[in-house]
Amino acid sequence: MKAAKRLDDLGMSKIRLLSAKAQEMRAQGRQMYMFTMGQPDFATPRYIIDACEKALEDGFTTYPAYEGPLVFRQAVCDKYERDNGLKFDPKQVISTCGAAQAAYLVLTSFLDPEDEVLVPNPMYNIYENIAGVCGAKAVKYSLREENDFQIDLDEFKSLITDKTKMIVICSPNNPIGGVLTKENLEGVAEIVADKDILICSDEIYERLVYDGTKAVSPASIPSLRDKTIIINGFSKAFSMTGWRVGYIITPEQYFEKLYVHTGLQVSGIPAFVLQAAAVALNDEEKYNTVEKMRVEFEERRNYFVGEINKTKHFSCKMPKGAFYIFMNIKKTGMTSEEFVDWLVENYGIVMVTGTIFGSEGEGFVRISYASSMDDIQAACKILHEADKALDK
Ligand SMILES: Cc1ncc(COP(=O)(O)O)c(C=O)c1O
């Protein structure tokens, strides 16, 4: 039996395939340095694990409400008020199985065949794939290095048509680590002001920002407030990738459909996980764990970027957020795919091909610095050797 036609364009995740190949080489005894996975290398903070154990003992083991308990939704609202200065009502919040299901829920709830959705190029590619499953068209807007990874508003405006139903914004962005400025987002707001277009704002990296940068939510721009559905989660800032917990915050008018639809997709998120996630948010300031991890990421970023920019053939902008460096390899004369293969085979360093994230990724590779400083230092030494070898 052939799978449904709408799945025709779906293939295995190339990042996972690349990681599997590197693991295989490691199993054969090769020393490998992996900078592929967008997964913090820290343990989940102890106070969250304790809260989960307590929740299990307290009997939070039955079916949860589809949208999650009030304690969780209130914790999300309190977090947005505290960190982002945005007031929401718990009636606007729905728990999800990570930001990934949140993206699936939002896109599949609004996109019909032939609709168009604007997505960044480059971008973590679930959005394009989910649009494809809906039979909708992902129209790419560029985030280019020479434009400091900001939205080119002229290009952006030219891509909007009568079929545009949604715009995906992701700041800080995966794979480039770029953070959109308030002015840039205000430019977007102006363009969509008189249009019936939804903004889907992926804010999964909003706590991981550096050099005093603040990630601005489109929802904080008054004219976008009622057009924006926020996606966020616990995987990155709280190092909770395996817990599979996230949420959306939606204008109230969309709540009912999203609630019913998520019921069909996941029937709620494990009750004990939601209790622990609420504690993660409520007690965060007390334990300061997000900040401790953020500071460590910032140190690694500074070191890695410094070393890359000492080389002759590689360069990068200082990324303002997330834990990715988008390294320019154009001076090597190789395509991004050739470079990744060359580096893996000859030097045991694994990075992700930029083109996985869209055509704007050609000439770039993504480095995740969610790896130990020891690995980063060892890999940078090897990277200098690779750089010298390119001279020969
Ligand atoms: C931009 C972006 N959105 C969503 C996700 C999914 O995150 P989660 O683990 O919460 O499903 C990722 C994961 O890498 C991501 O980079």
Side-chain angles (χ1 to χ4, degrees):
M1 170 68 75
K2 192 178 173 307
K5 281 197 190 72
R6 63 180 180 279
L7 304 190
D8 277 356
D9 291 338
L10 291 186
M12 291 287 284
S13 154
K14 289 187 186 157
I15 300 180
R16 292 200 178 208
L17 288 176
L18 194 66
S19 299
K21 181 182 164 189
Q23 295 286 12
E24 224 173 82
M25 289 170 78
R26 188 177 272 169
Q28 287 160 9
R30 285 273 313 264
Q31 171 76 57
M32 303 299 292
Y33 295 100
M34 311 265 287
F35 300 102
T36 48
M37 290 290 275
Q39 169 154 278
D41 56 320
F42 304 106
T44 300
R46 186 72 236 174
Y47 79 96
I48 305 172
I49 294 171
D50 289 345
C52 185
E53 282 175 4
K54 180 168 183 318
L56 280 163
E57 269 156 25
D58 287 351
F60 287 97
T61 53
T62 56
Y63 283 129
Y66 289 167
E67 77 276 37
L70 181 60
V71 67
F72 172 80
R73 289 175 292 118
Q74 186 64 54
V76 168
C77 294
D78 292 346
K79 174 248 163 321
Y80 262 87
E81 189 167 359
R82 191 170 63 233
D83 295 345
N84 312 70
L86 287 170
K87 269 193 179 209
F88 294 109
D89 191 289
K91 281 192 268 182
Q92 297 179 257
V93 179
I94 299 178
S95 59
T96 60
C97 181
Q101 187 246 330
Y104 198 83
L105 173 63
V106 172
L107 269 65
T108 56
S109 297
F110 289 96
L111 296 179
D112 281 320
E114 312 305 327
D115 282 343
E116 293 179 1
V117 51
L118 261 59
V119 297
N121 177 12
M123 174 68 193
Y124 181 56
N125 61 7
I126 55 170
Y127 289 93
E128 183 180 356
N129 288 339
I130 301 167
V133 169
C134 298
K137 186 173 164 199
V139 177
K140 314 281 188 69
Y141 65 89
S142 317
L143 300 174
R144 296 203 179 97
E145 189 186 49
E146 61 267 27
N147 201 15
D148 210 16
F149 296 123
Q150 299 297 303
I151 299 173
D152 173 341
L153 295 173
D154 292 333
E155 183 208 45
F156 187 85
K157 193 171 179 182
S158 74
L159 297 174
I160 292 180
T161 71
D162 291 347
K163 292 182 178 170
T164 310
K165 200 159 192 187
M166 187 183 283
I167 293 163
V168 173
I169 288 193
C170 181
S171 173
N173 174 295
N174 172 9
I176 52 186
V179 179
L180 300 176
T181 63
K182 185 153 185 272
E183 293 70 38
N184 202 225
L185 285 169
E186 282 168 346
V188 169
E190 227 169 85
I191 293 168
V192 301
D194 57 348
K195 298 189 166 56
D196 191 18
I197 294 177
L198 266 182
I199 308 281
C200 171
S201 175
D202 184 330
E203 303 183 4
I204 187 89
Y205 296 102
E206 47 110 32
R207 297 297 307 280
L208 301 177
V209 280
Y210 314 111
D211 308 325
T213 307
K214 188 112 180 90
V216 177
S217 171
S220 67
I221 295 171
S223 69
L224 293 184
R225 171 86 186 205
D226 290 337
K227 292 176 186 268
T228 301
I229 301 183
I230 291 173
I231 288 178
N232 207 335
F234 295 76
S235 290
K236 314 293 178 177
F238 292 90
S239 200
M240 290 172 69
T241 50
W243 295 61
R244 310 309 306 130
V245 57
Y247 54 88
I248 61 167
I249 308 176
T250 174
E252 259 184 83
Q253 76 218 67
Y254 306 125
F255 181 90
E256 191 178 326
K257 284 282 186 238
L258 289 161
Y259 165 89
V260 175
H261 197 186
T262 203
L264 291 177
Q265 289 181 1
V266 290
S267 298
I269 305 308
F272 48 92
V273 167
L274 291 175
Q275 294 295 319
V279 172
L281 293 174
N282 289 339
D283 288 355
E284 194 233 305
E285 283 188 330
K286 186 159 134 200
Y287 294 98
N288 206 28
T289 50
V290 176
E291 178 59 10
K292 282 182 197 144
M293 291 190 258
R294 192 199 67 76
V295 166
E296 245 192 271
F297 282 134
E298 188 159 11
E299 280 167 13
R300 295 173 191 182
R301 176 202 70 149
N302 292 348
Y303 177 80
F304 219 145
V305 168
E307 291 303 305
I308 288 169
N309 285 330
K310 280 183 201 161
T311 66
K312 196 165 152 190
H313 298 89
F314 321 129
S315 64
C316 65
K317 288 254 176 206
M318 184 63 95
K320 295 257 183 282
F323 37 60
Y324 306 109
I325 294 168
F326 214 44
M327 184 169 84
N328 186 322
I329 52 110
K330 290 178 183 168
K331 286 191 188 147
T332 66
M334 290 184 240
T335 64
S336 131
E337 195 163 347
E338 285 165 354
F339 178 80
V340 166
D341 287 344
W342 176 78
L343 205 63
V344 170
E345 296 296 336
N346 296 290
Y347 297 96
I349 298 180
V350 199
M351 298 175 174
V352 181
T353 321
T355 42
I356 284 176
F357 306 102
S359 57
E360 293 290 343
E362 187 50 274
F364 293 87
V365 290
R366 187 192 78 172
I367 300 170
S368 163
Y369 52 89
S371 309
S372 73
M373 195 60 166
D374 285 349
D375 271 13
I376 291 173
Q377 284 171 339
C380 282
K381 243 176 146 179
I382 300 172
L383 211 55
H384 283 297
E385 284 170 30
D387 180 48
K388 288 206 181 81
L390 287 166
D391 273 338
K392 287 175 195 154

